[in-house]
């Protein structure tokens, strides 16, 4: 395993832990988005560009947007 | 079930899974090693079918039925979410006149990146059999591109370029096209989702036969699916109001 991969794995582990430990849903959407980018980086380093492309679009754009919109609706804010 | 009984069940399950994971990891080939049994089988198979993108060849040629299953799951989830998100009896759609304040930089970036993202998405879909990516990835990129209009601050314009019913129809048609292509294969060769188009020259745009067309079908389905899904969420969050 190259040092770069070790760093990427550690970053993903740290990112995942941060997402789990974030209690506030609207903040969690942001940490989830960052985690998505870290995961994308790992996939690129592991030479899986296909998976990285899905991950960056779904994991760091679509899902956090859905969470934010859901939070906004639930809170009844305009 | 009492609290302690629940914990016992949990630890039994967790322990079992833990043991299985350790056993599986011990049998795995070493990380980054030179032994790749799956690669040895899949690469020659894909090259033999004139498809330089091995993942694409596996997804749409060698194991296309699995991909059909995945697309159906996506279709089902979008239909379910759309049904849950539709306005109820005492709710009406009501658009705000005020669009809110957006930073000029965000606006500029949104409008600049919109055409770029659309082109990248279309490129990823149509070259799915040649370069990394494919229908699913390109579809999500295309759907995200349209929503840059919302990020740039114009929800009204987004609604205008995105007639929801068109996308609902497109999603169903694209999912149906996948099945129809499969049935044509069944009629012509006796195998569902068999590769029926000429395989062409390795590396050409119209090569690897059916893979190209299935990629386009999946791209259309995923784009429409994600647009329909996000339109439900956006409407609920921004414009659906309770009417008393």
């Amino acid at each position: 395993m190259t040092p770069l991969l070790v760093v990427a794995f550690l970053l993903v582990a740290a990112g995942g832990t941060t997402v789990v430990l974030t209690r506030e849903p609207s903040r969690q959407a942001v940490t989830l988005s960052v985690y998505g980018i870290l995961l994308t980086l790992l996939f690129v380093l592991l030479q899986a560009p296909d998976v990285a492309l899905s991950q960056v679009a779904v994991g760091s754009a679509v899902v956090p947007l859905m969470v934010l919109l859901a939070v906004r609706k639930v809170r009844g804010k305009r | 079930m009492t609290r302690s009984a629940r914990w016992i069940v949990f630890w039994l399950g967790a322990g079992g899974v833990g043991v299985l994971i350790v056993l599986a990891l011990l049998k795995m080939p070493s990380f980054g090693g030179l032994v790749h049994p799956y690669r040895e089988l899949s690469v020659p198979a894909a090259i033999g079918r004139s498809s330089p993108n091995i993942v694409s060849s596996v997804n749409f040629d060698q194991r296309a039925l699995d991909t059909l299953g995945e697309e159906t799951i996506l279709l089902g989830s979008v239909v379910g979410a759309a049904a849950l998100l539709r306005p109820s009896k005492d709710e009406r759609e009501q658009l705000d006149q005020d669009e809110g304040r957006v930073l000029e930089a965000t606006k500029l970036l949104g409008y600049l990146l919109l055409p770029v993202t659309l082109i990248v998405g279309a490129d990823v879909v149509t070259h799915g059999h040649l370069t990394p990516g494919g229908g699913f990835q390109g579809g999500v990129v295309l759907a995200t591109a349209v929503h840059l209009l919302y990020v740039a601050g114009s929800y009204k314009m987004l609604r205008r370029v995105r007639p929801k019913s068109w996308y609902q129809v497109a999603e169903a048609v694209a999912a149906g096209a996948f099945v129809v292509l499969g049935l044509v294969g069944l009629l012509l060769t006796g195998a569902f989702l068999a590769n029926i188009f000429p395989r062409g020259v390795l590396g050409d745009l119209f090569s690897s036969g059916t893979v190209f067309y299935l990629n386009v079908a999946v791209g259309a389905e995923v784009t429409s699916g994600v647009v329909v899904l996000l339109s439900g969420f956006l409407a609920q969050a921004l414009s659906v109001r309770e009417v008393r």
Side-chain angles (χ1 to χ4, degrees), chain A residues 24-77:
Chain A
E24 180 70 27
S26 55
R27 280 163 196 258
Q28 201 172 37
V30 179
T31 50
L32 187 68
S33 185
V34 175
Y35 173 62
I37 290 171
L38 291 175
L39 213 52
T40 306
L41 220 98
L42 178 69
F43 290 144
V44 170
L45 289 173
L46 288 174
Q47 299 177 22
D50 300 69
V51 192
L53 204 53
S54 318
Q55 176 58 38
V56 76
V58 175
S60 29
V62 176
V63 173
L65 176 62
M66 273 165 35
V67 172
L68 281 177
L69 289 170
V71 168
R72 184 176 162 144
K73 175 71 182 180
V74 170
R75 288 197 185 143
K77 268 190 201 160

Side-chain angles (χ1 to χ4, degrees), chain A residues 12-25:
Chain A
V12 166
T17 314
T18 315
V19 175
V20 173
L21 293 179
T22 314
R23 303 295 297 177
E24 180 70 27

Side-chain angles (χ1 to χ4, degrees), chain B residues 99-123:
Chain B
E99 294 258 19
R101 224 171 58 85
V102 183
L103 286 178
E104 291 294 324
T106 312
K107 249 187 212 173
L108 180 70
L109 209 62
Y111 285 122
L112 275 181
L113 284 180
L114 175 64
V116 176
T117 320
L118 281 176
I119 291 170
V120 169
D123 180 81

